[in-house]
Amino acid sequence: MRIKNNHFIEVNLIKSGLQTNIIGGEIKYFDEIESTNEYAKELAEQGISEGTLVIADHQKTGRGRLDRKWYSPRSVNLYLSIILRPKINIKDVNILTLITSISTVDTISEYGIKPYIKWPNDVLVNRKKISGVLTEVNSKKEIVEYVVVGIGLNINLTRKDLKQFENLSDIATSMFIEIGSLIDRNEFLIKFINNIDRSYLEYSENGKNIIVEKWLERWDGLNRRVKVSLDNQSFFADCKGLDENGYLVVEKPNGDKYTVFSGDVTLID
Ligand code: BT5
């Protein structure tokens, strides 16, 4: 079955639904782009204002972390990047990824789906990935100049679509695959951006502890066994929580605690 999606992305509709303080003041929309993150970084370099959103219907070279690809077919999903200029130290940037994952979980939950977060940036449903975040930062010394938060959300993607991309069928899902009905992408985006904006404001006003707490409530990794893969080594450990900056704390079998700043963490149970 080929899905016919009547819900085009409509910038005016989105603007009229946003109830935000910071995000979405300016929206740049593209039918097609290389990568919304790449373009958002160019805009940020040129000094564009905080909260600018870059949205595309299709990405030709959508990117994941560590030079991986993000499958970005036309007219079914959401691909967007948000330019932020928080006055924070570079060590706190990970909090923005946490905010994004929390907002993704909360928005998807509004449709009767039960997602949860896998550290650092994935949102999963029934153990399959429905969304990913790529956070890129530019800083001067320790202070952040701008952050581009890029989000890919699988909305109306079908199982057939998934077969066209290497190895995705077993590890990815979409809202359509989970609930069997089409989602209005404009409506979803409005809810999502409103949620992120609220959470970002909460962070600016109250600090990061509340964000870490909310993230932990939406995480299902506590005490679970993982394989931690770093550049030059890997080891097994049990997940224990987040440190104050949002990095994963694990415990090795000998009881040593280790904080994972980057790299891959795979659940093995
Ligand atoms: C991520 O990377 O999960 C971050 C993805 C961010 C994509 C957004 S889209 C808008 C913005 N512009 C961009 O160019 N990027 C951002 P990572 O954790 O490295 O996961 C990448 C892996 O997820 C791939 O190696 C695949 O296994 C899998 N993958 C690729 N496309 C997928 C999709 N559409 N749905 C689920 N999984 C996917």
Side-chain angles (χ1 to χ4, degrees):
M1 179 181 58
R2 181 75 217 149
I3 295 296
K4 218 170 155 1
N5 180 6
N6 295 317
H7 305 294
F8 295 106
I9 292 175
E10 289 179 42
V11 172
N12 286 336
L13 198 67
I14 294 166
K15 276 196 170 154
S16 67
L18 290 181
Q19 297 168 324
T20 54
N21 287 291
I22 296 156
I23 305 173
E26 204 165 331
I27 299 180
K28 309 273 187 195
Y29 172 75
F30 298 87
D31 282 336
E32 184 174 279
I33 200 167
E34 306 291 325
S35 150
T36 55
N37 261 42
E38 284 312 308
Y39 185 64
K41 281 194 285 182
E42 280 174 31
L43 291 178
E45 287 291 339
Q46 291 160 17
I48 203 153
S49 55
E50 173 166 66
T52 299
L53 263 180
V54 179
I55 308 173
D57 192 48
H58 164 57
Q59 294 185 119
K60 288 197 272 186
T61 50
R63 291 192 296 111
R65 297 175 305 138
L66 312 168
D67 279 335
R68 293 190 283 233
K69 290 179 187 159
W70 188 257
Y71 174 50
S72 312
R74 196 179 296 280
S75 301
V76 285
N77 290 336
L78 286 170
Y79 317 109
L80 62 139
S81 300
I82 309 170
I83 297 163
L84 296 173
R85 298 185 184 279
K87 293 179 183 55
I88 57 174
N89 191 286
I90 188 140
K91 72 177 173 21
D92 289 332
V93 161
N94 201 35
I95 300 292
L96 302 174
T97 305
L98 304 192
I99 287 175
T100 309
S101 304
I102 292 168
S103 305
T104 304
V105 165
D106 290 356
T107 312
I108 293 177
S109 300
E110 289 184 40
Y111 293 81
I113 298 173
K114 246 195 130 4
Y116 57 91
I117 304 173
K118 174 183 169 291
W119 191 88
N121 67 338
D122 294 353
V123 174
L124 308 186
V125 178
N126 293 324
R127 294 189 161 225
K128 292 184 174 177
K129 186 157 165 170
I130 199 161
S131 168
V133 184
L134 174 64
T135 305
E136 299 188 279
V137 59
N138 185 287
S139 63
K140 255 203 191 116
K141 298 202 172 127
E142 298 274 283
I143 302 299
V144 166
E145 293 259 295
Y146 65 81
V147 182
V148 169
V149 183
I151 308 121
L153 291 146
N154 294 340
I155 308 286
N156 292 324
L157 193 74
T158 64
R159 287 185 210 279
K160 198 171 162 200
D161 292 328
L162 281 177
K163 288 198 182 121
Q164 287 158 29
F165 198 78
E166 47 186 329
N167 307 327
L168 272 196
S169 291
D170 292 339
I171 59 162
T173 189
S174 73
M175 297 194 49
F176 176 76
I177 291 171
E178 295 302 321
I179 58 177
S181 49
L182 286 176
I183 304 288
D184 181 329
R185 287 182 297 159
N186 296 302
E187 184 192 270
F188 185 96
L189 190 67
I190 291 166
K191 290 177 196 274
F192 178 62
I193 297 299
N194 283 339
N195 279 337
I196 295 202
D197 191 82
R198 214 174 301 125
S199 210
Y200 184 56
L201 200 66
E202 190 174 32
Y203 168 49
S204 341
E205 287 172 355
N206 302 323
K208 54 192 169 188
N209 291 351
I210 177 87
I211 304 297
V212 170
E213 265 171 43
K214 283 190 174 180
W215 189 93
L216 288 170
E217 285 165 15
R218 289 156 182 79
W219 179 55
D220 83 332
L222 184 63
N223 289 327
R224 289 180 71 180
R225 178 61 51 109
V226 287
K227 181 178 178 192
V228 179
S229 306
L230 308 175
D231 279 349
N232 48 6
Q233 56 158 319
S234 64
F235 57 86
F236 294 103
D238 294 328
C239 294
K240 291 297 167 191
L242 293 183
D243 75 359
E244 55 173 19
N245 298 321
Y247 293 104
L248 185 69
V249 179
V250 297
E251 189 177 284
K252 293 183 177 180
N254 66 3
D256 284 354
K257 291 262 169 59
Y258 182 90
T259 304
V260 188
F261 294 104
S262 63
D264 251 9
V265 173
T266 323
L267 283 171
I268 57 165
D269 59 358

